[in-house]
Amino acid sequence: MTGIPMGGPAIPPAPDALRGSGAPGSPPGAADEILVAFAEPAEQRRLTVLVRIILAIPHVIVLYVLGIAAEVVALVCWFAALFTGRLPDGLAGSRSATCAG
């Protein structure tokens, strides 16, 4: 069968310039290489790195406390669902807000 495959119209073959250098599965040749150049990063003073680390400390503490609170709420939700068969509305809302992130 030639022409149109079962999935739809045939896709025309790529021009020779776009095909690459060899058969499928062969290692790429020099014609297939792409060179990308980036500018070197600017130097940072050690003081600015230290300030960023210091500013990250409160953020890490708050995230740690929120993680503990989320684990406590998950445990309470589990026990509530175990004994009552459903989640209380307030706990379900806090769990969905925590999971939504």
Side-chain angles (χ1 to χ4, degrees):
M1 178 167 90
T2 60
I4 299 175
M6 294 180 67
I11 298 172
D16 289 335
L18 297 178
R19 277 193 199 165
S21 61
S26 65
D32 295 338
E33 293 180 8
I34 298 175
L35 300 177
V36 179
F38 294 99
E40 291 186 20
E43 289 188 27
Q44 296 180 349
R45 289 187 274 165
R46 293 179 189 209
L47 183 63
T48 59
V49 174
L50 179 66
V51 169
R52 289 180 188 167
I53 292 172
I54 291 172
L55 289 176
I57 291 172
H59 180 76
V60 170
I61 292 171
V62 168
L63 286 178
Y64 181 73
V65 170
L66 287 176
I68 291 173
E71 289 180 15
V72 169
V73 169
L75 186 66
V76 170
C77 284
W78 184 77
F79 277 112
L82 181 67
F83 292 117
T84 64
R86 59 183 287 279
L87 288 176
D89 293 334
L91 290 176
S94 66
R95 283 299 297 156
S96 63
T98 303
C99 291

